[in-house]
Amino acid sequence: MNPAPPLLQMTDIAKSFGAIRALRSGQLDLRAGEIHALAGENGAGKSTLMNILDGILRPDSGAIRIDGQPVQIDSPAMAQRLGIGFVHQEIALCADISVAENIFMSETAQSRRRLMGGADLIARAAEVLAPLAAIDPRLPAGLLSISQQQLVEIAKALTLECRILIFDEPTAALTEHEAQKLFTILRGLAARGIGIIYISHRMAEIFGICDRVTVMRDGQHIRTDRTADITPADVVNAMVGRKLDTLYPPKMQGTPGPEILRVAGLTDRRFQDVSFALHAGEILGFGGLIGAGRSEIARGLMRLEGAAKGRIWLHGQEVNLRDYADCIARGIVYLSEDRKGDGVFLDLPIAANIAALDLRRVAGRFGVINPAREAAQAQRIGGSLRLKAASMAHRVASLSGGNQQKVALAKLLAVQPKVIFLDEPTRGVDVGAKAEIHAILRGLADSGVGIAVISSELPELIGLCDRVLVVSEGRIVGGLSGPDMTETNIMTLAAPGALAKAGAMQ
Amino acid sequence: MTTTTQDRSLLARLFGARETGLVLIILVLFLIMSFASPHFLTWTNMRAMTMAFSVEAIVVVGMTILLISGGIDLSVGSVTALAMVVAGLLFLNGVNPWVAALMAIAVCAGIGAVIGFFVTYVGLHHFIVTLAAMVIARGLCLLGTGGRPLGLFELPAGFKWIGIGSVGVIPVAIIIFVIVVAVFDFLLRRTTAFRLVYYTGSNEKAAAYSGIRTKRVIFLTTVLCSTLCGVAGIIYMARFGSAQPTFGVGMELNVIAAAVIGGASLSGGKGTIFGAILGAILLSVVSSSLALLNVSVYWQDIIRGSILLAAVTLDHYLVKRQAAGGRA
């Protein structure tokens, strides 16, 4: 008479790393055929819980049951035998071997055959990839774009005979169109009775495709509900443990101030004829699909890559920017989208990170660094950003994602910039820190710093910016402000081929 | 008040733990050896031991800075020998020995510039370029001398003084070593120019995104390393009174081992001069101890290799534990 036991049941899972309790009472139950969202801020214990399920970590205590049977998962290989597949957020493909060989890597490793399959492998890879994207399985994986690589990672998991599939923020690197295709596939998998655990920050996805949602905070299970029964506000409040009245700071009051930066006809390989002006007091957004050329425009403008041609005026004076060091000297700085890759020095102390852009500010005569001044600078700027760190001498690697991002921002603020371009300023940052960063950006804009924000999160663009320029295929195809800044308008302009449409709109 | 604690822990974290551990290990070795052998803790032995590594330590300084920037140099032994050979040949052809020495050091700097060019502007890896430079420099040594050592009996006493002279009881070579180490240790810890080396080695792309001209940093550290090899070669020449084309074979391994035992990482961004010199001292004390205890020379290499492996393994686990602790 009892209903069948759930496909997966994790109860009272605890895990500590040294003195740090990453997980106190992790709990999750997953039914066959459901898409179950797992939400929580960074550090809430989601990854630890999932790594335990995948056998990467061993729990200190707690029980895992599959079909009601207790199991012990000692290794990822064991998890795979139990039918558990994990699509990690980090891409781990071998760049030099073909897509097909990447997809069937674990099969090859476990196969008894001595020779690699040839045509057969390629045909099977093509079959798995077909519903996801048009990717040639013979290409080396390293030649693919980030979003295509992410899709190959997903394809890899689909080839395993899984009953439980874990997806860790799978859409972070995907375009809207690719994400939609992925959702179709996920629904298909669920219909076949596979249980899917879907880790995501994005409320639209949690409520769009998931059946139930489990929220974690501080290593504990907070609540599990059917998405039909609750609202996104309930989930956000459960995640942060307090009521967030407004996620976004107020918009610019009155009219924009004088022009700070003007760009005309900026052109390089990846973008053409980019012209815009940035005014004091406003936050200017750059919207568009991933790969549309927004980051390339910012990096080209600052001479970080390529050899862009075009004219640039700073405070009405035409400038000729030689390289990025020259940009910094003039007060134009860039916050990279890839924090760990090129935003911060993970192994160096926080204070050394914050001093990196201009060491003269912490040095005395003859270029001798004054450690007291270096620490004081870090304290002052870190403090103004509410950077949470036990000591400015700690390595950046020891901080949470949100605090690492504050270090990356503090690095830029140390040179008192006039113009800041921020590329995905809140990617991988939890909800609380996100609101803080938004408030900081508004404060900077109010104080007269020119702020330009590139974001792939539409709600962020709309909530934070006063004006949004939409980039499609390397061109600015339109500008939106006030009530015209809606998700629909931005997406309409952003879609490839929108140039003609933009022409029609004008 | 908060700032002072901040400073101390900043230094302690960047430079502290490793050096303290090495000093302790060296002290323990001293203690054991002073009981095990009556000849160990004597002025003669201490002087011989210090002389043995003092010149090589100058090369260790260059290698450590290069390792911190993310590079490596396999050609240090050959380039050191080349400095001797170039200076020796010039001297035998009537050039003033001091002028000859400066020209030889300039030739070494030039080799560093060629290596730096291939690494930064062509885009090849340090390992491959310096492997080629190692073989080419050795070839030049043999070509210039016909494979035989050059006897430099005419070297004036004033020049030999830098190799074998002393000020009071302290050998000049040791004074030079202490000055070079003290100067570069300070530069690396405290000056903006050398801080750029840490930034570049820790994350080259983040350094570029901080407006640092990383190619220039890598080029200059490469040139510095070869130049210091030149300086070491000249001191060796003054000490030996000859130029030996086959000198320094295998030196690169010793030098890299010292730097790594002292905390430098082959992936860049980490290391100190003080630590690397302690690494060199440790290796030297071990060699000297084994010799005094009449351990076969064949065992010495095995033991030195094992020390290197142990140091790196220990480091690996310490870093891993730190990373696990920092995940919260």
Side-chain angles (χ1 to χ4, degrees):
Chain A
M1 284 299 105
N2 285 332
L7 175 59
L8 168 73
Q9 217 174 356
M10 299 177 84
T11 41
D12 297 327
I13 309 281
K15 174 76 186 173
S16 297
F17 298 101
I20 294 139
R21 291 177 74 185
L23 209 52
R24 290 160 203 273
S25 62
Q27 194 175 315
L28 183 74
D29 76 288
L30 178 71
R31 296 171 194 154
E34 78 165 336
I35 304 180
H36 192 126
L38 184 57
E41 299 194 311
N42 291 330
K46 295 169 300 187
S47 308
T48 310
L49 188 67
M50 288 303 104
N51 284 335
I52 287 170
L53 179 57
D54 198 40
I56 297 167
L57 297 172
R58 243 136 291 165
D60 299 335
S61 61
I64 304 175
R65 286 190 178 79
I66 291 180
D67 294 328
Q69 298 296 314
V71 290
Q72 202 173 352
I73 306 171
D74 295 324
S75 67
M78 175 79 188
Q80 209 172 314
R81 279 198 296 278
L82 289 167
I84 299 166
F86 195 163
V87 180
H88 291 269
Q89 198 181 358
E90 285 88 26
I91 291 164
L93 297 176
C94 300
D96 298 319
I97 69 170
S98 74
V99 169
E101 284 164 318
N102 265 292
I103 290 177
F104 294 103
M105 203 183 314
S106 70
E107 186 185 295
T108 307
Q110 286 174 5
S111 158
R112 286 171 191 281
R113 286 168 56 187
R114 301 275 172 209
L115 295 173
M116 291 291 297
D120 155 60
L121 205 62
I122 290 163
R124 281 169 59 210
E127 201 176 306
V128 184
L129 282 168
L132 280 167
I135 298 173
D136 184 343
R138 287 164 300 187
L139 285 178
L143 289 184
L144 303 182
S145 70
I146 296 292
S147 76
Q148 286 175 322
Q149 291 189 15
Q150 179 76 55
L151 291 167
V152 172
E153 280 285 356
I154 292 167
K156 234 168 104 175
L158 299 183
T159 63
L160 307 170
E161 292 295 318
C162 287
R163 302 181 57 213
I164 300 169
L165 261 176
I166 309 163
F167 289 89
D168 190 356
E169 299 198 36
T171 57
L174 299 187
T175 66
E176 189 62 28
H177 183 64
E178 288 164 331
Q180 289 305 333
K181 281 188 175 173
L182 174 66
F183 297 153
T184 311
I185 290 172
L186 293 188
R187 288 199 194 90
L189 291 170
R192 275 166 42 197
I194 294 172
I196 294 170
I197 301 171
Y198 191 89
I199 302 176
S200 180
H201 282 298
R202 299 184 183 181
M203 292 304 139
E205 292 177 4
I206 293 175
F207 284 86
I209 62 161
C210 299
D211 303 299
R212 290 196 300 160
V213 53
T214 288
V215 181
M216 294 182 70
R217 185 176 75 235
D218 299 331
Q220 280 170 316
H221 173 262
I222 300 295
R223 61 189 292 177
T224 299
D225 300 274
R226 278 161 32 98
T227 50
D229 298 340
I230 55 169
T231 67
D234 295 330
V235 173
V236 171
N237 289 340
M239 278 165 66
V240 296
R242 60 180 186 274
K243 245 188 144 60
L244 282 181
D245 299 330
T246 47
L247 195 52
Y248 296 102
K251 300 263 172 167
M252 173 178 59
Q253 305 299 315
T255 51
E259 177 184 292
I260 302 178
L261 179 77
R262 168 173 290 280
V263 174
L266 198 68
T267 300
D268 199 357
R269 255 171 358 102
R270 300 282 302 275
F271 49 87
Q272 291 81 39
D273 199 22
V274 171
S275 303
F276 63 91
L278 177 59
H279 297 266
E282 71 169 348
I283 298 181
L284 178 62
F286 282 82
L289 301 175
I290 288 177
R294 296 166 302 165
S295 305
E296 287 79 4
I297 291 171
R299 291 200 288 259
L301 169 65
M302 307 212 189
R303 300 292 184 263
L304 275 163
E305 61 183 33
K309 289 192 175 59
R311 301 178 69 186
I312 298 161
W313 292 263
L314 187 63
H315 287 303
Q317 291 258 302
E318 183 158 10
V319 290
N320 179 21
L321 302 170
R322 289 191 312 275
D323 57 13
Y324 186 50
D326 190 24
C327 285
I328 293 174
R330 293 176 190 276
I332 308 175
V333 295
Y334 172 72
L335 180 81
S336 156
E337 61 183 321
D338 183 3
R339 178 171 62 239
K340 288 186 178 164
D342 46 46
V344 293
F345 304 97
L346 286 170
D347 287 332
L348 295 182
I350 297 167
N353 268 273
I354 294 178
L357 258 58
D358 188 1
L359 284 166
R360 284 170 306 181
R361 288 169 191 271
V362 297
R365 277 196 298 169
F366 310 115
V368 176
I369 294 173
N370 179 338
R373 264 164 74 179
E374 188 175 31
Q377 170 179 278
Q379 286 286 358
R380 180 168 48 80
I381 301 169
S384 73
L385 300 184
R386 295 213 276 155
L387 173 67
K388 287 189 205 78
S391 158
M392 292 299 150
H394 284 187
R395 298 186 321 145
V396 172
S398 68
L399 300 176
S400 69
N403 281 309
Q404 288 183 5
Q405 188 70 345
K406 287 183 183 173
V407 171
L409 191 55
K411 255 177 82 182
L412 306 182
L413 297 184
V415 299
Q416 292 163 331
K418 298 188 181 103
V419 176
I420 311 179
F421 273 76
L422 302 109
D423 203 344
E424 307 288 355
T426 60
R427 175 181 285 172
V429 166
D430 59 49
V431 182
K434 198 168 178 169
E436 282 180 18
I437 289 173
H438 289 150
I440 291 161
L441 295 183
R442 177 52 72 190
L444 286 167
D446 287 344
S447 71
V449 179
I451 304 284
V453 173
I454 297 169
S455 176
S456 299
E457 268 186 65
L458 293 177
E460 176 171 58
L461 276 180
I462 295 163
L464 179 67
C465 301
D466 301 302
R467 188 157 64 94
V468 171
L469 300 175
V470 181
V471 179
S472 176
E473 298 175 286
R475 289 172 189 276
I476 293 182
V477 291
L480 300 164
S481 59
D484 293 338
M485 281 197 297
T486 63
E487 300 205 9
T488 323
N489 284 349
I490 294 175
M491 286 322 293
T492 313
L493 284 170
L499 261 181
K501 276 178 279 170
M505 267 168 73
Q506 275 162 7
Chain B
M1 163 127 180
T2 25
T3 19
T4 40
T5 38
Q6 289 284 343
D7 296 348
R8 207 172 305 130
S9 56
L10 180 76
L11 286 173
R13 282 190 167 260
L14 255 184
F15 312 118
R18 167 71 69 131
E19 280 87 342
T20 318
L22 277 171
V23 168
L24 285 178
I25 293 172
I26 292 168
L27 284 180
V28 168
L29 266 177
F30 262 72
L31 203 66
I32 296 174
M33 279 309 296
S34 56
F35 285 110
S37 164
H39 305 293
F40 182 77
L41 213 56
T42 59
W43 173 247
T44 330
N45 187 49
M46 287 299 124
R47 191 188 140 107
M49 226 162 58
T50 320
M51 283 295 279
F53 78 82
S54 61
V55 186
E56 199 167 275
I58 295 174
V59 180
V60 172
V61 167
M63 181 71 84
T64 306
I65 296 171
L66 188 56
L67 285 172
I68 295 169
S69 78
I72 194 165
D73 190 349
L74 301 180
S75 70
V76 287
S78 313
V79 172
T80 302
L82 186 65
M84 280 194 223
V85 168
V86 170
L89 285 175
L90 287 170
F91 174 70
L92 290 178
N93 284 290
V95 180
N96 173 297
W98 297 99
V99 175
L102 285 179
M103 289 169 76
I105 293 172
V107 167
C108 293
I111 290 183
V114 172
I115 296 171
F117 169 79
F118 277 99
V119 171
T120 53
Y121 294 97
V122 180
L124 306 179
H125 196 281
H126 259 113
F127 193 93
I128 296 303
V129 179
T130 60
L131 185 66
M134 169 172 110
V135 181
I136 292 171
R138 184 66 69 193
L140 289 172
C141 288
L142 298 171
L143 188 70
T145 60
R148 286 178 302 276
L150 304 174
L152 306 170
F153 310 107
E154 308 293 313
L155 273 179
F159 188 82
K160 284 189 186 165
W161 179 76
I162 57 172
I164 55 176
S166 21
V167 177
V169 290
I170 303 169
V172 175
I174 294 178
I175 295 175
I176 296 175
F177 149 73
V178 170
I179 292 173
V180 168
V181 167
V183 166
F184 278 100
D185 190 68
F186 176 80
L187 290 175
L188 206 54
R189 279 175 206 266
R190 290 290 296 278
T191 63
T192 55
F194 281 85
R195 173 65 75 76
L196 302 184
V197 177
Y198 280 101
Y199 288 137
T200 302
S202 175
N203 184 340
E204 191 179 338
K205 207 158 170 221
Y209 276 36
S210 301
I212 295 165
R213 290 158 178 138
T214 53
K215 281 186 175 178
R216 198 157 75 179
V217 172
I218 294 169
F219 180 83
L220 290 176
T221 51
T222 308
V223 173
L224 178 64
C225 182
S226 299
T227 308
L228 288 175
C229 291
V231 172
I234 296 306
I235 301 173
Y236 276 126
M237 184 177 82
R239 179 189 294 180
F240 301 148
S242 65
Q244 301 179 7
T246 55
F247 181 79
V249 174
M251 184 201 274
E252 64 282 349
L253 297 179
N254 240 342
V255 169
I256 294 168
V260 170
I261 290 172
S265 154
L266 290 188
S267 49
K270 276 200 294 189
T272 62
I273 300 295
F274 186 46
I277 295 306
L278 288 175
I281 292 176
L282 178 64
L283 287 176
S284 175
V285 171
V286 168
S287 295
S288 150
S289 307
L290 294 173
L292 281 175
L293 297 174
N294 290 321
V295 176
S296 144
V297 284
Y298 304 117
W299 273 105
Q300 296 196 14
D301 282 345
I302 297 171
I303 291 171
R304 278 203 311 223
S306 308
I307 292 176
L308 176 63
L309 204 56
V312 179
T313 309
L314 185 70
D315 199 42
H316 177 72
Y317 280 106
L318 289 179
V319 168
K320 238 169 78 171
R321 226 179 60 182
Q322 229 179 345
R327 200 173 295 156

